[in-house]
Amino acid sequence: MWDTFLPDLLIAFIGAIFTVAIAYATYKLNAAQEEARALNSLIAELHRRRALRPSDEQPIRGAASSDDYDRVNQSVLSMRSEIRAARDRVGQRESIQLPLSEMRRACNTYLRRSAAQPELYARFVGDLRRELDRQVEKLAAARKGVNHLVPGEGAGY
């Protein structure tokens, strides 16, 4: 029995290391898949947003009292929350976190500018859409398996 003790111990040790390596690789693969799923879900949601649909960016008189202005603002608030939720679900790499932070900043900029000049909210939505698109492009470039869909272009009429 003692003459096989060291070889048995070595085999058990190698087996344990192999098991830990497989578990770690599985964990990393699952984390990467979850990250891609979270980003693709966010991008698809932005793609289908009617508030981001390309439109005429001319000033709109009386916009502050219009239902459309209120719906767009509510949609932007919702997008901002969804972006934050996606940030919480992905890794802490700067190449992923920075575009998501810029997306939130763009939503805040839209909300601040449209509150100050409601009649120009259509123009500000256009600015928001273009900035979100730039950040989506960065996410798609930074993360394999993430699709670039243009915000608002998948919205129905």
Side-chain angles (χ1 to χ4, degrees):
M1 175 166 130
W2 287 106
D3 50 337
T4 63
F5 176 73
L6 285 178
D8 290 345
L9 185 62
L10 181 61
I11 289 173
F13 182 71
I14 291 171
I17 289 176
F18 189 64
T19 301
V20 169
I22 289 172
Y24 181 73
T26 302
Y27 166 77
K28 292 300 273 184
L29 180 63
N30 287 341
Q33 288 173 338
E34 175 58 28
E35 181 175 85
R37 216 176 354 261
L39 292 172
N40 279 322
S41 177
L42 172 65
I43 291 167
E45 178 64 26
L46 296 175
H47 179 67
R48 292 187 298 264
R49 283 288 174 142
R50 285 186 300 163
L52 295 174
R53 186 174 53 213
S55 65
D56 183 17
E57 296 183 16
Q58 296 301 313
I60 300 168
R61 287 187 221 190
S65 60
S66 76
D67 289 339
D68 188 54
Y69 174 73
D70 290 334
R71 281 191 297 269
V72 169
N73 287 342
Q74 290 304 311
S75 185
V76 172
L77 288 168
S78 174
M79 283 185 266
R80 188 177 64 177
S81 295
E82 290 172 26
I83 293 165
R84 181 179 181 132
R87 279 186 63 200
D88 292 343
R89 292 175 56 198
V90 299
Q92 296 302 310
R93 290 187 323 247
E94 187 173 326
S95 62
I96 302 295
Q97 289 291 323
L98 189 59
L100 292 171
S101 292
E102 291 300 321
M103 291 169 119
R104 275 185 52 89
R105 185 174 292 122
C107 290
N108 289 336
T109 298
Y110 163 81
L111 292 166
R112 186 181 64 254
R113 291 173 73 197
S114 68
Q117 294 179 293
E119 67 282 354
L120 298 178
Y121 86 94
R123 182 181 307 155
F124 300 147
V125 167
D127 294 343
L128 173 61
R129 179 180 52 258
R130 288 182 286 277
E131 181 60 26
L132 291 174
D133 186 44
R134 278 192 289 276
Q135 301 309 322
V136 166
E137 191 172 3
K138 288 179 183 179
L139 288 172
R143 180 68 180 77
K144 182 181 175 186
V146 173
N147 302 316
H148 177 207
L149 301 173
V150 178
E153 283 195 0
Y157 288 91

